[in-house]
Amino acid sequence: MPSAAELKERIEEAFPGAQVMVHDLTGGGDHFRAEVISDRFQGLSRIQQHKLIYDVFGDEVGGPIHALSIKTQTPGDGR
Amino acid sequence: MTNDEIHSFIENAIKENKVMLFMKGTPQQPACGFSMRASGALNELGVQYAALDILPDPRIREELSAVSGWPTIPQLFVNGELIGGSDIVLEMFESGELAELLGVEQPDQPDVPAPEPEPRQAPLGLENRMT
């Protein structure tokens, strides 16, 4: 069963220098929320940004990772 | 139905419906919080849309992901193009981009049904403290 820490680590490996936060939404190890700030997202549409995150996990999304909610930002998108 | 038939059914549904939502359950009875929020946003905007429940046959989801390259449900298509899953739909709803894309007015108070709505506390009126 994947953990939030494991997901965070894998996103960080795929996006060096990114700020990554991952929460386990239910505590059950299958519904996660990932918030990623990376300059890799610069110039990409939201669809493309989210796909990059999904690509880190491939077939696991929809499988062991039942649901992965995503929020992506570039360092410039201050809120 | 063969897998090929399901595949072309999905492609046609995307092509023939200006606003096409693939979801778990139906807009009346969503079977998942993410699907509920995506259909809730469309309901809130008052747009007409077609919805397809992917649950009755696991092959619907497999073929849909093969068509779209998107792994999760719900998936919203507008004018034949994938807009995104529930996160993107909600972000675009809240920012007004979704209303713009669909050519409708943004509601004054966007209010998407949250899975666990918390009651809002009314602010304490000034007169209550002046007695």
Side-chain angles (χ1 to χ4, degrees):
Chain A
M1 197 165 66
S3 70
E6 186 192 325
L7 263 64
K8 175 172 152 58
E9 209 168 285
R10 288 173 62 188
I11 295 172
E12 283 168 344
E13 268 171 35
F15 296 84
Q19 275 185 52
V20 184
M21 279 198 316
V22 178
H23 307 284
D24 185 334
L25 292 175
T26 59
D30 53 4
H31 287 68
F32 294 96
R33 163 91 170 163
E35 298 187 13
V36 184
I37 305 176
S38 168
D39 50 20
R40 277 266 303 277
F41 299 139
Q42 208 83 50
L44 299 181
S45 69
R46 279 200 193 88
I47 284 268
Q48 291 167 327
Q49 295 178 8
H50 286 216
K51 262 188 176 161
L52 285 178
I53 304 292
Y54 283 134
D55 285 347
V56 174
F57 303 104
D59 283 350
E60 291 165 73
V61 175
I65 303 170
H66 181 77
L68 177 62
S69 169
I70 297 172
K71 183 175 176 66
T72 51
Q73 274 177 270
T74 53
D77 295 343
R79 290 222 176 152
Chain B
M1 260 183 137
T2 66
N3 285 34
D4 279 351
E5 282 167 338
I6 293 175
H7 195 97
S8 13
F9 181 87
I10 291 169
E11 283 183 331
N12 281 334
I14 294 168
K15 200 160 35 169
E16 285 165 13
N17 296 288
K18 182 181 185 301
V19 186
M20 180 72 219
L21 180 70
F22 295 90
M23 63 186 293
K24 292 183 180 174
T26 62
Q28 292 73 33
Q29 263 192 317
C32 164
F34 297 101
S35 288
M36 180 176 85
R37 280 182 282 169
S39 64
L42 293 174
N43 295 343
E44 199 63 31
L45 291 175
V47 291
Q48 281 211 328
Y49 62 100
L52 181 75
D53 182 1
I54 61 112
L55 290 175
D57 188 329
R59 293 178 301 168
I60 302 174
R61 182 186 180 149
E62 287 162 24
E63 293 302 326
L64 174 61
S65 290
V67 169
S68 64
W70 193 259
T72 54
I73 305 295
Q75 296 184 23
L76 177 67
F77 291 79
V78 176
N79 296 324
E81 199 182 317
L82 176 65
I83 301 306
S86 68
D87 295 317
I88 292 179
V89 170
L90 262 287
E91 269 183 46
M92 290 179 70
F93 174 66
E94 281 161 11
S95 69
E97 286 164 89
L98 191 61
E100 198 180 326
L101 177 70
L102 297 170
V104 294
E105 288 285 317
Q106 176 78 350
D108 291 338
Q109 289 177 313
D111 185 22
V112 178
E116 287 167 309
E118 282 175 62
R120 273 193 208 143
Q121 238 176 349
L124 190 65
L126 188 61
E127 60 280 6
N128 293 347
R129 280 175 274 155
M130 307 248 320
T131 50

